[in-house]
Amino acid sequence: MNIFEELQERGLIAQVTDLKEIKELINNGGARFYIGFDPTADSLHVGHFMALCLMKRLQMAGNKPVVLIGGGTGYIGDPSGRSDMRSMMTPEQIQHNCDCFRKQMERFIEFGEDKAIMVNNADWLLSLNYIELLREVGACFSVNNMLRAECYKQRMEKGLSFLEFNYMIMQAYDFYYLHQKYGCNMQFGGDDQWSNMLAGTELIRKKTSEDAYAMTITLLMNSEGKKMGKTAKGAVWLDPNKTSPFEFYQYWRNVDDADVMKCIKMLTFLPMEQIKEMENWEDSRINEKKEILAYELTELVHGKTEADNAKKAAYELFQGSGNSENMPSTELIQDDLFEDKISIVKLVVKCGFASSNAESKRLIQQGGITVNDECINTLDKTYTSSELNNGLILRKGKKHFHKIILI
């Protein structure tokens, strides 16, 4: 099977502009493509995972990735999919986040001569002359068309800043710049980026010859990745210091039954023949599918050793015979205690099983919280520093474990 047809079969393609040309370029290894990552945090998260896996697949098929770090667009903030304006980051924060992204991406993408390259749009966006940009680039954009874009329409009621309004122009200019300097002929992105990406294609068409435009093809990957990675504690990070390999494994081990095969198709590198066989398994083997998914992705992000440890720890915990070495944990200090005690309600919040005391109380009253194998059925339960020193293992439902440590 050719790589483009495989991407389609895995459910990764949502919309394309020039299907025939795209197929030919990708299947023949002729795509010089880019995907952009704005450095909004100091770690990539599961929402970026699909894009990284996609770049890896295309590179393995002989295509050349251009990894674009948005050190410049990070000064503005993408309004797509947001109901409010992003917090403004300092230049130091942006640079730190860019550095963190690069280290993590090197686990997925092979950089080097005639391989992938990494660029930062701060290198060209921050030095742009405003008047020149308005004349040379702004003239190519219709405000009416921009306001019809979905990424702007959803913000019009609450208010769209002029700063954010410029994001589409900056992203379009990125594609134009990469096309001119690096021969970039294709761009990938989530389907919520469709309007911004079309703007880049249109800008190249207006600024270059028709021959050049024939190589300027926009490909759009499915944005399922945007829906992934949210838990009660927030995003699921690729940085092991923010989301441990065990937590990462458990996240995928606990995905909804209906999403398991979709995730296996989109994110793992298992052959399609094996995946098709798994689709025919009996429903009773759903947990086996989840274990395969969790292991494959943990190995991809954290390596085989960590994946083996996470799998072993999960198995032992569910069998009731394991230790808590690889379990996610929260450290408490004496100041977290009142009169040398802390309530179960607060502990449930501290470990991230609930986002508020009210939610914690509901969980406890519903019998959803266990401490050291004891089901908690009262809101008055407290634990002393002595008990905390001996160690507490909290469990929410059957699958979520957490260790509490007093330091």
Side-chain angles (χ1 to χ4, degrees):
M1 184 188 301
N2 288 325
I3 181 62
F4 183 82
E5 284 71 23
E6 180 179 343
L7 295 180
Q8 288 182 310
E9 189 160 3
R10 287 182 180 272
L12 289 165
I13 307 298
Q15 300 179 73
V16 299
T17 55
D18 301 86
L19 183 58
K20 180 181 177 181
E21 291 88 345
I22 286 172
K23 280 186 178 180
E24 183 177 350
L25 277 172
I26 289 179
N27 288 336
N28 293 326
R32 184 71 163 178
F33 68 96
Y34 97 89
I35 299 179
F37 301 82
D38 274 356
T40 54
D42 59 0
S43 172
L44 297 163
H45 55 72
V46 169
H48 299 114
F49 197 33
M50 186 180 296
L52 293 171
C53 292
L54 182 65
M55 295 187 97
K56 184 178 178 72
R57 292 184 206 279
L58 288 166
Q59 186 176 45
M60 291 169 63
N63 297 285
K64 302 295 190 300
V66 176
V67 180
L68 175 63
I69 302 296
T73 43
Y75 280 77
I76 298 175
D78 185 1
S80 300
R82 295 188 62 86
S83 59
D84 55 2
M85 186 172 173
R86 292 183 185 273
S87 299
M88 299 288 284
M89 294 185 294
T90 66
E92 292 76 19
Q93 287 176 309
I94 293 172
Q95 185 57 53
H96 172 71
N97 293 350
C98 289
D99 295 340
C100 292
F101 274 25
R102 182 182 182 100
K103 291 178 183 178
Q104 292 179 335
M105 287 175 174
E106 288 173 347
R107 286 194 61 88
F108 294 85
I109 312 300
E110 188 176 359
F111 295 97
E113 187 176 351
D114 200 35
K115 299 184 184 299
I117 63 170
M118 180 175 287
V119 295
N120 188 329
N121 62 17
D123 294 341
W124 58 86
L125 292 182
L126 297 187
S127 60
L128 284 174
N129 179 290
Y130 186 59
I131 298 299
E132 183 180 357
L133 179 71
L134 290 177
R135 285 176 59 86
E136 297 299 320
V137 178
C140 298
F141 286 81
S142 161
V143 171
N144 291 344
N145 289 339
M146 292 174 71
L147 291 177
R148 282 194 288 267
E150 194 62 36
C151 61
Y152 289 151
K153 278 170 37 178
Q154 62 190 13
R155 288 291 305 280
M156 292 303 291
E157 287 187 11
K158 288 194 173 183
L160 176 71
S161 72
F162 182 71
L163 177 72
E164 295 171 293
F165 187 65
N166 282 271
Y167 191 91
M168 180 186 289
I169 297 176
M170 296 296 98
Q171 183 170 335
Y173 187 81
D174 282 342
F175 194 16
Y176 172 72
Y177 182 90
L178 294 174
H179 176 75
Q180 294 295 97
K181 182 160 185 175
Y182 299 106
C184 196
N185 56 24
M186 196 176 297
Q187 57 181 328
F188 288 71
D191 49 19
D192 59 345
Q193 292 285 308
W194 183 241
S195 298
N196 289 351
M197 296 169 72
L198 288 180
T201 303
E202 183 69 8
L203 178 61
I204 294 175
R205 185 186 67 82
K206 290 180 177 179
K207 297 292 291 183
T208 60
S209 67
E210 288 299 316
D211 289 339
Y213 172 61
M215 296 295 292
T216 306
I217 300 168
T218 307
L219 176 65
L220 190 70
M221 71 176 184
N222 192 299
S223 67
E224 287 291 333
K226 296 276 186 176
K227 304 171 186 175
M228 299 175 182
K230 295 296 181 182
T231 68
K233 296 183 72 176
V236 175
W237 305 99
L238 305 192
D239 183 343
N241 295 314
K242 297 169 78 71
T243 298
S244 73
F246 178 83
E247 289 175 297
F248 189 83
Y249 180 95
Q250 285 299 103
Y251 171 76
W252 296 108
R253 177 64 180 79
N254 295 326
V255 298
D256 291 340
D257 292 0
D259 293 332
V260 175
M261 289 311 303
K262 179 168 63 177
C263 290
I264 288 175
K265 286 181 180 180
M266 289 182 168
L267 301 176
T268 76
F269 286 79
L270 296 174
M272 284 304 301
E273 293 78 9
Q274 182 178 347
I275 293 174
K276 289 176 182 177
E277 181 182 339
M278 292 172 65
E279 288 182 313
N280 295 320
W281 287 1
E282 298 290 335
D283 292 344
S284 60
R285 300 181 70 181
I286 185 64
N287 286 331
E288 188 177 347
K289 292 179 182 179
K290 291 184 177 183
E291 288 167 2
I292 291 172
L293 172 67
Y295 184 87
E296 290 291 324
L297 299 190
T298 305
E299 181 181 20
L300 182 62
V301 174
H302 298 295
K304 186 177 187 304
T305 299
E306 293 291 357
D308 287 340
N309 289 339
K311 182 178 180 179
K312 180 182 178 183
Y315 176 79
E316 291 178 343
L317 284 169
F318 295 139
Q319 294 299 314
S321 60
N323 59 48
S324 60
E325 181 181 352
N326 295 301
M327 192 184 300
S329 61
T330 293
E331 295 180 343
L332 302 182
I333 60 175
Q334 196 66 41
D335 287 349
D336 291 317
L337 280 59
F338 177 71
E339 295 182 350
D340 201 45
K341 294 183 294 186
I342 187 169
S343 72
I344 181 60
V345 174
K346 289 186 178 179
L347 281 179
V348 171
V349 175
K350 286 282 187 183
C351 72
F353 285 167
S355 59
S356 66
N357 287 344
E359 183 183 351
S360 174
K361 290 176 181 178
R362 285 194 297 272
L363 274 173
I364 296 167
Q365 290 170 332
Q366 293 166 2
I369 297 297
T370 299
V371 179
N372 289 355
D373 294 327
E374 175 192 358
C375 183
I376 306 302
N377 51 25
T378 174
L379 300 178
D380 298 329
K381 183 71 174 176
T382 61
Y383 295 90
T384 65
S385 59
S386 176
E387 291 173 300
L388 292 167
N389 282 327
N390 291 330
L392 296 180
I393 304 297
L394 273 67
R395 189 179 77 207
K396 182 175 76 168
K398 295 181 179 180
K399 301 178 180 179
H400 301 278
F401 294 84
H402 204 92
K403 177 170 58 178
I404 300 292
I405 305 169
L406 182 63
I407 59 173

